[in-house]
Amino acid sequence: MHVRRVVTKHGSQGAAGFAEDGAVPRTDIFRTVPGLVSRMVWSTSASTTVPFDGTDPTPLVTSFVPKPGETRFLVLTFPPDSVFMSPDFDGPAAMAENLAVSPGLAERFEPDGKHQTPTVDYGIVLDGEIWMELDDGNEARLGQFDTFVQNATRHAWRNKSDRPATIAVVLVGARTADTTD
């Protein structure tokens, strides 16, 4: 799936214009997990201001998990779960690649794929179907155009189908009980 990114700007007289129009520059197609694609479309910091100054913030991101007041906009494609069950699947190599591709997030993954971030995540399924699995076997099937709000809960994404599933999600860094100023 090709994802196009269009970024706007203000011209010298304040008129709206286009700053960028093209592919998402921070796109990672995993070598160790066939069909897994991570795309960081955009990010904001707690000090982001407008108008846009022309500097693409995504290459500067050092953690996929935003701090309070920051955001990350991701488009993720998940292969079917059968890819992870293949006798050829190399879990340690996949984890090493994930650590390189998704710093700050990959470290939070448990062996079963569950993870938890201090974020409120707004998302929509763009294509396919995916299951959000929570604690105690709670799960929900999400199909194309279904939306979700994930409130810093421990979860995993499961693709029980035989084709890829793609979601778009905005992670909003949130304060937690142990967040300090």
Side-chain angles (χ1 to χ4, degrees):
M1 172 184 284
H2 171 74
V3 176
R4 175 182 171 201
R5 183 181 76 168
V6 176
V7 180
T8 64
K9 67 177 181 178
H10 290 88
S12 60
Q13 302 297 318
F18 294 105
E20 298 180 28
D21 185 342
V24 175
R26 195 160 177 176
T27 296
D28 293 287
I29 301 169
F30 281 65
R31 293 179 340 278
T32 58
V33 185
L36 182 59
V37 182
S38 171
R39 305 164 192 89
M40 183 179 295
V41 179
W42 200 253
S43 67
T44 61
S45 70
S47 62
T48 296
T49 60
V50 290
F52 175 53
D53 69 5
T55 304
D56 184 343
T58 57
L60 307 173
V61 170
T62 58
S63 176
F64 270 50
V65 179
K67 294 178 183 170
E70 297 181 340
T71 66
R72 305 290 182 266
F73 177 20
L74 307 172
V75 177
L76 305 165
T77 299
F78 297 92
D81 285 354
S82 60
V83 167
F84 299 97
M85 304 306 156
S86 167
D88 297 337
F89 180 71
D90 184 343
M95 186 58 184
E97 185 174 19
N98 197 18
L99 286 166
V101 167
S102 308
L105 178 61
E107 296 87 343
R108 296 172 177 272
F109 278 85
E110 300 168 26
D112 67 355
K114 287 206 172 102
H115 57 285
Q116 186 172 6
T117 57
T119 61
V120 175
D121 306 341
Y122 307 129
I124 185 168
V125 178
L126 299 175
D127 190 48
E129 66 179 45
I130 194 139
W131 293 75
M132 181 189 290
E133 181 181 299
L134 304 177
D135 290 332
D136 300 325
N138 289 314
E139 59 184 14
R141 178 197 169 276
L142 301 168
Q144 188 176 36
F145 307 128
D146 286 344
T147 61
F148 58 89
V149 178
Q150 194 280 120
N151 285 300
T153 54
R154 184 172 170 263
H155 68 284
W157 295 109
R158 308 287 187 218
N159 182 349
K160 299 178 183 185
S161 76
D162 59 359
R163 62 186 210 88
T166 300
I167 65 172
V169 61
V170 176
L171 286 71
V172 180
R175 298 175 88 48
T176 61
D178 61 348
T179 301
T180 59
D181 289 326

